[in-house]
mmCIF file of all heavy atoms in Angstrom:
data_model
loop_
_atom_site.group_PDB
_atom_site.id
_atom_site.type_symbol
_atom_site.label_atom_id
_atom_site.label_comp_id
_atom_site.label_asym_id
_atom_site.label_seq_id
_atom_site.Cartn_x
_atom_site.Cartn_y
_atom_site.Cartn_z
ATOM 1 N N SER A 1 4.487 75.362 186.153
ATOM 2 C CA SER A 1 5.943 75.418 185.986
ATOM 3 C C SER A 1 6.620 75.914 187.265
ATOM 4 O O SER A 1 5.980 76.523 188.130
ATOM 5 C CB SER A 1 6.296 76.363 184.838
ATOM 6 O OG SER A 1 5.997 77.705 185.210
ATOM 7 N N ALA A 2 7.907 75.661 187.361
ATOM 8 C CA ALA A 2 8.686 76.130 188.511
ATOM 9 C C ALA A 2 8.626 77.653 188.592
ATOM 10 O O ALA A 2 8.502 78.219 189.689
ATOM 11 C CB ALA A 2 10.127 75.644 188.405
ATOM 12 N N THR A 3 8.662 78.313 187.455
ATOM 13 C CA THR A 3 8.596 79.777 187.430
ATOM 14 C C THR A 3 7.263 80.258 187.993
ATOM 15 O O THR A 3 7.212 81.179 188.802
ATOM 16 C CB THR A 3 8.774 80.300 185.988
ATOM 17 O OG1 THR A 3 10.026 79.821 185.494
ATOM 18 C CG2 THR A 3 8.735 81.805 185.940
ATOM 19 N N ARG A 4 6.185 79.604 187.572
ATOM 20 C CA ARG A 4 4.860 79.987 188.063
ATOM 21 C C ARG A 4 4.723 79.701 189.549
ATOM 22 O O ARG A 4 4.130 80.489 190.289
ATOM 23 C CB ARG A 4 3.765 79.251 187.258
ATOM 24 C CG ARG A 4 2.360 79.598 187.682
ATOM 25 C CD ARG A 4 2.013 81.063 187.420
ATOM 26 N NE ARG A 4 0.675 81.357 187.896
ATOM 27 C CZ ARG A 4 0.326 82.479 188.502
ATOM 28 N NH1 ARG A 4 1.214 83.439 188.675
ATOM 29 N NH2 ARG A 4 -0.908 82.666 188.912
ATOM 30 N N ARG A 5 5.274 78.597 190.016
ATOM 31 C CA ARG A 5 5.224 78.289 191.449
ATOM 32 C C ARG A 5 5.930 79.376 192.256
ATOM 33 O O ARG A 5 5.454 79.785 193.311
ATOM 34 C CB ARG A 5 5.867 76.933 191.739
ATOM 35 C CG ARG A 5 4.980 75.769 191.401
ATOM 36 C CD ARG A 5 5.621 74.463 191.803
ATOM 37 N NE ARG A 5 4.725 73.352 191.482
ATOM 38 C CZ ARG A 5 5.117 72.104 191.414
ATOM 39 N NH1 ARG A 5 6.375 71.777 191.658
ATOM 40 N NH2 ARG A 5 4.251 71.159 191.128
ATOM 41 N N LYS A 6 7.056 79.831 191.739
ATOM 42 C CA LYS A 6 7.805 80.888 192.416
ATOM 43 C C LYS A 6 6.980 82.177 192.473
ATOM 44 O O LYS A 6 6.927 82.856 193.497
ATOM 45 C CB LYS A 6 9.125 81.124 191.673
ATOM 46 C CG LYS A 6 10.251 81.562 192.529
ATOM 47 C CD LYS A 6 11.546 81.525 191.746
ATOM 48 C CE LYS A 6 12.666 81.922 192.660
ATOM 49 N NZ LYS A 6 13.956 81.844 192.043
ATOM 50 N N GLU A 7 6.316 82.509 191.369
ATOM 51 C CA GLU A 7 5.443 83.692 191.323
ATOM 52 C C GLU A 7 4.292 83.542 192.312
ATOM 53 O O GLU A 7 3.958 84.477 193.038
ATOM 54 C CB GLU A 7 4.859 83.883 189.917
ATOM 55 C CG GLU A 7 5.848 84.311 188.874
ATOM 56 C CD GLU A 7 5.273 84.211 187.449
ATOM 57 O OE1 GLU A 7 4.092 83.812 187.287
ATOM 58 O OE2 GLU A 7 6.017 84.540 186.511
ATOM 59 N N LEU A 8 3.677 82.361 192.293
ATOM 60 C CA LEU A 8 2.560 82.111 193.207
ATOM 61 C C LEU A 8 2.996 82.230 194.661
ATOM 62 O O LEU A 8 2.268 82.782 195.491
ATOM 63 C CB LEU A 8 1.960 80.727 192.953
ATOM 64 C CG LEU A 8 1.164 80.570 191.669
ATOM 65 C CD1 LEU A 8 0.917 79.086 191.375
ATOM 66 C CD2 LEU A 8 -0.159 81.314 191.753
ATOM 67 N N LEU A 9 4.164 81.713 194.977
ATOM 68 C CA LEU A 9 4.674 81.798 196.342
ATOM 69 C C LEU A 9 4.860 83.260 196.743
ATOM 70 O O LEU A 9 4.476 83.655 197.843
ATOM 71 C CB LEU A 9 5.987 81.019 196.484
ATOM 72 C CG LEU A 9 6.640 81.064 197.870
ATOM 73 C CD1 LEU A 9 5.705 80.504 198.944
ATOM 74 C CD2 LEU A 9 7.962 80.311 197.848
ATOM 75 N N SER A 10 5.417 84.075 195.856
ATOM 76 C CA SER A 10 5.606 85.496 196.163
ATOM 77 C C SER A 10 4.274 86.203 196.394
ATOM 78 O O SER A 10 4.121 86.976 197.346
ATOM 79 C CB SER A 10 6.361 86.203 195.029
ATOM 80 O OG SER A 10 7.674 85.750 194.976
ATOM 81 N N GLU A 11 3.304 85.929 195.535
ATOM 82 C CA GLU A 11 1.972 86.528 195.681
ATOM 83 C C GLU A 11 1.338 86.075 196.999
ATOM 84 O O GLU A 11 0.749 86.877 197.727
ATOM 85 C CB GLU A 11 1.058 86.113 194.521
ATOM 86 C CG GLU A 11 1.430 86.705 193.194
ATOM 87 C CD GLU A 11 0.660 86.061 192.031
ATOM 88 O OE1 GLU A 11 -0.433 85.483 192.265
ATOM 89 O OE2 GLU A 11 1.158 86.134 190.894
ATOM 90 N N PHE A 12 1.461 84.786 197.275
ATOM 91 C CA PHE A 12 0.896 84.231 198.492
ATOM 92 C C PHE A 12 1.525 84.871 199.730
ATOM 93 O O PHE A 12 0.831 85.260 200.661
ATOM 94 C CB PHE A 12 1.086 82.710 198.526
ATOM 95 C CG PHE A 12 0.573 82.082 199.786
ATOM 96 C CD1 PHE A 12 -0.791 81.872 199.959
ATOM 97 C CD2 PHE A 12 1.443 81.720 200.797
ATOM 98 C CE1 PHE A 12 -1.267 81.310 201.131
ATOM 99 C CE2 PHE A 12 0.965 81.159 201.967
ATOM 100 C CZ PHE A 12 -0.389 80.949 202.136
ATOM 101 N N GLU A 13 2.849 84.996 199.705
ATOM 102 C CA GLU A 13 3.545 85.591 200.857
ATOM 103 C C GLU A 13 3.085 87.017 201.112
ATOM 104 O O GLU A 13 2.855 87.392 202.262
ATOM 105 C CB GLU A 13 5.060 85.575 200.643
ATOM 106 C CG GLU A 13 5.685 84.246 200.935
ATOM 107 C CD GLU A 13 7.188 84.318 200.925
ATOM 108 O OE1 GLU A 13 7.772 84.407 199.831
ATOM 109 O OE2 GLU A 13 7.778 84.288 202.028
ATOM 110 N N ARG A 14 2.952 87.799 200.056
ATOM 111 C CA ARG A 14 2.482 89.182 200.230
ATOM 112 C C ARG A 14 1.103 89.200 200.888
ATOM 113 O O ARG A 14 0.859 89.959 201.820
ATOM 114 C CB ARG A 14 2.418 89.913 198.889
ATOM 115 C CG ARG A 14 3.712 90.580 198.484
ATOM 116 C CD ARG A 14 3.530 91.519 197.304
ATOM 117 N NE ARG A 14 2.945 90.885 196.133
ATOM 118 C CZ ARG A 14 3.602 90.165 195.233
ATOM 119 N NH1 ARG A 14 4.900 89.975 195.383
ATOM 120 N NH2 ARG A 14 2.996 89.646 194.198
ATOM 121 N N GLU A 15 0.216 88.358 200.402
ATOM 122 C CA GLU A 15 -1.151 88.322 200.933
ATOM 123 C C GLU A 15 -1.175 87.829 202.375
ATOM 124 O O GLU A 15 -1.784 88.447 203.244
ATOM 125 C CB GLU A 15 -2.025 87.430 200.052
ATOM 126 C CG GLU A 15 -3.457 87.335 200.494
ATOM 127 C CD GLU A 15 -4.228 88.641 200.424
ATOM 128 O OE1 GLU A 15 -3.942 89.463 199.525
ATOM 129 O OE2 GLU A 15 -5.111 88.850 201.280
ATOM 130 N N ILE A 16 -0.507 86.729 202.638
ATOM 131 C CA ILE A 16 -0.591 86.108 203.962
ATOM 132 C C ILE A 16 0.151 86.922 205.021
ATOM 133 O O ILE A 16 -0.275 86.995 206.169
ATOM 134 C CB ILE A 16 -0.111 84.623 203.926
ATOM 135 C CG1 ILE A 16 -0.624 83.855 205.152
ATOM 136 C CG2 ILE A 16 1.402 84.519 203.855
ATOM 137 C CD1 ILE A 16 -2.051 83.484 205.102
ATOM 138 N N GLN A 17 1.257 87.547 204.654
ATOM 139 C CA GLN A 17 2.011 88.314 205.649
ATOM 140 C C GLN A 17 1.217 89.517 206.150
ATOM 141 O O GLN A 17 1.198 89.799 207.345
ATOM 142 C CB GLN A 17 3.378 88.727 205.095
ATOM 143 C CG GLN A 17 4.319 87.547 205.039
ATOM 144 C CD GLN A 17 5.631 87.839 204.335
ATOM 145 O OE1 GLN A 17 5.769 88.807 203.594
ATOM 146 N NE2 GLN A 17 6.607 86.976 204.565
ATOM 147 N N GLY A 18 0.547 90.223 205.240
ATOM 148 C CA GLY A 18 -0.282 91.346 205.673
ATOM 149 C C GLY A 18 -1.445 90.875 206.533
ATOM 150 O O GLY A 18 -1.764 91.481 207.560
ATOM 151 N N HIS A 19 -2.055 89.784 206.110
ATOM 152 C CA HIS A 19 -3.187 89.209 206.845
ATOM 153 C C HIS A 19 -2.756 88.816 208.260
ATOM 154 O O HIS A 19 -3.416 89.178 209.241
ATOM 155 C CB HIS A 19 -3.716 87.990 206.070
ATOM 156 C CG HIS A 19 -4.842 87.293 206.733
ATOM 157 N ND1 HIS A 19 -6.154 87.686 206.593
ATOM 158 C CD2 HIS A 19 -4.861 86.204 207.534
ATOM 159 C CE1 HIS A 19 -6.928 86.870 207.292
ATOM 160 N NE2 HIS A 19 -6.177 85.962 207.862
ATOM 161 N N MET A 20 -1.655 88.098 208.369
ATOM 162 C CA MET A 20 -1.192 87.653 209.683
ATOM 163 C C MET A 20 -0.818 88.850 210.562
ATOM 164 O O MET A 20 -1.150 88.883 211.745
ATOM 165 C CB MET A 20 -0.001 86.698 209.553
ATOM 166 C CG MET A 20 -0.382 85.344 208.990
ATOM 167 S SD MET A 20 0.926 84.073 209.039
ATOM 168 C CE MET A 20 2.236 84.811 208.072
ATOM 169 N N ALA A 21 -0.155 89.834 209.979
ATOM 170 C CA ALA A 21 0.241 91.020 210.751
ATOM 171 C C ALA A 21 -0.988 91.741 211.295
ATOM 172 O O ALA A 21 -1.020 92.146 212.466
ATOM 173 C CB ALA A 21 1.077 91.963 209.879
ATOM 174 N N GLY A 22 -2.006 91.896 210.464
ATOM 175 C CA GLY A 22 -3.225 92.554 210.914
ATOM 176 C C GLY A 22 -3.907 91.795 212.040
ATOM 177 O O GLY A 22 -4.338 92.388 213.044
ATOM 178 N N GLU A 23 -4.005 90.476 211.899
ATOM 179 C CA GLU A 23 -4.626 89.668 212.956
ATOM 180 C C GLU A 23 -3.816 89.760 214.246
ATOM 181 O O GLU A 23 -4.385 89.889 215.334
ATOM 182 C CB GLU A 23 -4.727 88.203 212.525
ATOM 183 C CG GLU A 23 -5.825 87.932 211.539
ATOM 184 C CD GLU A 23 -5.971 86.459 211.195
ATOM 185 O OE1 GLU A 23 -4.981 85.697 211.277
ATOM 186 O OE2 GLU A 23 -7.084 86.072 210.842
ATOM 187 N N GLU A 24 -2.500 89.685 214.124
ATOM 188 C CA GLU A 24 -1.641 89.693 215.309
ATOM 189 C C GLU A 24 -1.655 91.040 216.026
ATOM 190 O O GLU A 24 -1.521 91.099 217.243
ATOM 191 C CB GLU A 24 -0.212 89.315 214.926
ATOM 192 C CG GLU A 24 -0.081 87.856 214.526
ATOM 193 C CD GLU A 24 1.239 87.519 213.852
ATOM 194 O OE1 GLU A 24 2.162 88.372 213.829
ATOM 195 O OE2 GLU A 24 1.343 86.393 213.313
ATOM 196 N N ARG A 25 -1.821 92.121 215.291
ATOM 197 C CA ARG A 25 -1.796 93.454 215.905
ATOM 198 C C ARG A 25 -3.162 93.919 216.405
ATOM 199 O O ARG A 25 -3.229 94.728 217.326
ATOM 200 C CB ARG A 25 -1.250 94.472 214.908
ATOM 201 C CG ARG A 25 0.200 94.271 214.600
ATOM 202 C CD ARG A 25 0.690 95.302 213.602
ATOM 203 N NE ARG A 25 2.063 94.983 213.205
ATOM 204 C CZ ARG A 25 2.536 95.160 211.987
ATOM 205 N NH1 ARG A 25 1.779 95.665 211.033
ATOM 206 N NH2 ARG A 25 3.780 94.855 211.696
ATOM 207 N N VAL A 26 -4.244 93.433 215.786
ATOM 208 C CA VAL A 26 -5.566 93.971 216.092
ATOM 209 C C VAL A 26 -6.511 92.924 216.677
ATOM 210 O O VAL A 26 -7.117 93.133 217.730
ATOM 211 C CB VAL A 26 -6.197 94.612 214.828
ATOM 212 C CG1 VAL A 26 -7.604 95.096 215.103
ATOM 213 C CG2 VAL A 26 -5.321 95.742 214.309
ATOM 214 N N PHE A 27 -6.653 91.797 216.008
ATOM 215 C CA PHE A 27 -7.681 90.819 216.357
ATOM 216 C C PHE A 27 -7.290 89.966 217.560
ATOM 217 O O PHE A 27 -8.025 89.876 218.543
ATOM 218 C CB PHE A 27 -7.966 89.953 215.126
ATOM 219 C CG PHE A 27 -9.152 89.043 215.239
ATOM 220 C CD1 PHE A 27 -10.386 89.515 215.651
ATOM 221 C CD2 PHE A 27 -9.045 87.705 214.890
ATOM 222 C CE1 PHE A 27 -11.487 88.679 215.731
ATOM 223 C CE2 PHE A 27 -10.143 86.859 214.958
ATOM 224 C CZ PHE A 27 -11.366 87.349 215.389
ATOM 225 N N TYR A 28 -6.143 89.331 217.510
ATOM 226 C CA TYR A 28 -5.750 88.412 218.576
ATOM 227 C C TYR A 28 -5.562 89.098 219.934
ATOM 228 O O TYR A 28 -5.988 88.546 220.951
ATOM 229 C CB TYR A 28 -4.488 87.634 218.205
ATOM 230 C CG TYR A 28 -4.648 86.711 217.023
ATOM 231 C CD1 TYR A 28 -3.541 86.272 216.315
ATOM 232 C CD2 TYR A 28 -5.895 86.257 216.595
ATOM 233 C CE1 TYR A 28 -3.662 85.415 215.226
ATOM 234 C CE2 TYR A 28 -6.027 85.409 215.507
ATOM 235 C CZ TYR A 28 -4.912 84.992 214.829
ATOM 236 O OH TYR A 28 -5.033 84.143 213.758
ATOM 237 N N PRO A 29 -4.930 90.282 220.002
ATOM 238 C CA PRO A 29 -4.773 90.906 221.332
ATOM 239 C C PRO A 29 -6.107 91.143 222.037
ATOM 240 O O PRO A 29 -6.215 90.953 223.248
ATOM 241 C CB PRO A 29 -4.072 92.234 221.013
ATOM 242 C CG PRO A 29 -3.324 91.965 219.749
ATOM 243 C CD PRO A 29 -4.220 91.025 218.962
ATOM 244 N N LEU A 30 -7.121 91.508 221.287
ATOM 245 C CA LEU A 30 -8.436 91.726 221.878
ATOM 246 C C LEU A 30 -8.995 90.419 222.439
ATOM 247 O O LEU A 30 -9.520 90.376 223.542
ATOM 248 C CB LEU A 30 -9.399 92.298 220.841
ATOM 249 C CG LEU A 30 -10.787 92.510 221.389
ATOM 250 C CD1 LEU A 30 -10.867 93.862 222.080
ATOM 251 C CD2 LEU A 30 -11.809 92.403 220.302
ATOM 252 N N LEU A 31 -8.863 89.337 221.660
ATOM 253 C CA LEU A 31 -9.403 88.046 222.088
ATOM 254 C C LEU A 31 -8.621 87.459 223.262
ATOM 255 O O LEU A 31 -9.162 86.682 224.037
ATOM 256 C CB LEU A 31 -9.420 87.071 220.914
ATOM 257 C CG LEU A 31 -10.404 87.444 219.807
ATOM 258 C CD1 LEU A 31 -10.211 86.549 218.602
ATOM 259 C CD2 LEU A 31 -11.832 87.382 220.295
ATOM 260 N N GLN A 32 -7.363 87.838 223.388
ATOM 261 C CA GLN A 32 -6.554 87.326 224.493
ATOM 262 C C GLN A 32 -6.973 87.919 225.831
ATOM 263 O O GLN A 32 -6.560 87.455 226.875
ATOM 264 C CB GLN A 32 -5.072 87.573 224.229
ATOM 265 C CG GLN A 32 -4.540 86.681 223.130
ATOM 266 C CD GLN A 32 -3.121 87.002 222.727
ATOM 267 O OE1 GLN A 32 -2.427 87.749 223.390
ATOM 268 N NE2 GLN A 32 -2.687 86.440 221.620
ATOM 269 N N LYS A 33 -7.837 88.927 225.781
ATOM 270 C CA LYS A 33 -8.327 89.548 227.018
ATOM 271 C C LYS A 33 -9.522 88.797 227.596
ATOM 272 O O LYS A 33 -9.933 89.075 228.705
ATOM 273 C CB LYS A 33 -8.714 91.002 226.744
ATOM 274 C CG LYS A 33 -7.542 91.885 226.409
ATOM 275 C CD LYS A 33 -7.982 93.291 226.074
ATOM 276 C CE LYS A 33 -6.787 94.113 225.641
ATOM 277 N NZ LYS A 33 -7.187 95.418 225.141
ATOM 278 N N THR A 34 -10.081 87.866 226.818
ATOM 279 C CA THR A 34 -11.246 87.127 227.309
ATOM 280 C C THR A 34 -10.852 85.685 227.597
ATOM 281 O O THR A 34 -10.088 85.082 226.838
ATOM 282 C CB THR A 34 -12.391 87.147 226.279
ATOM 283 O OG1 THR A 34 -11.990 86.428 225.126
ATOM 284 C CG2 THR A 34 -12.771 88.565 225.909
ATOM 285 N N GLY A 35 -11.392 85.146 228.664
ATOM 286 C CA GLY A 35 -11.014 83.812 229.127
ATOM 287 C C GLY A 35 -11.158 82.703 228.108
ATOM 288 O O GLY A 35 -10.207 81.978 227.839
ATOM 289 N N ASP A 36 -12.347 82.560 227.512
ATOM 290 C CA ASP A 36 -12.568 81.400 226.646
ATOM 291 C C ASP A 36 -11.828 81.501 225.311
ATOM 292 O O ASP A 36 -11.523 80.482 224.708
ATOM 293 C CB ASP A 36 -14.068 81.169 226.421
ATOM 294 C CG ASP A 36 -14.761 82.317 225.715
ATOM 295 O OD1 ASP A 36 -14.288 83.461 225.826
ATOM 296 O OD2 ASP A 36 -15.790 82.064 225.059
#
């Protein structure tokens, strides 16, 4: 249902935003220091 899709989107956003923030603050900066 449209209601469930809206709920799923909210749940997804919470999960993905934290994940992306963690990668951007911790994981990617370290990898950007190496050439390959």
Side-chain angles (χ1 to χ4, degrees):
S1 69
T3 302
R4 181 65 182 141
R5 282 184 179 163
K6 211 170 182 176
E7 290 168 0
L8 288 166
L9 178 59
S10 292
E11 291 169 23
F12 178 78
E13 280 189 286
R14 273 192 304 278
E15 181 64 33
I16 199 76
Q17 286 172 342
H19 178 85
M20 289 189 301
E23 284 184 333
E24 290 167 9
R25 292 180 187 144
V26 176
F27 190 51
Y28 296 160
L30 178 85
L31 293 172
Q32 289 173 12
K33 293 177 184 172
T34 66
D36 62 333

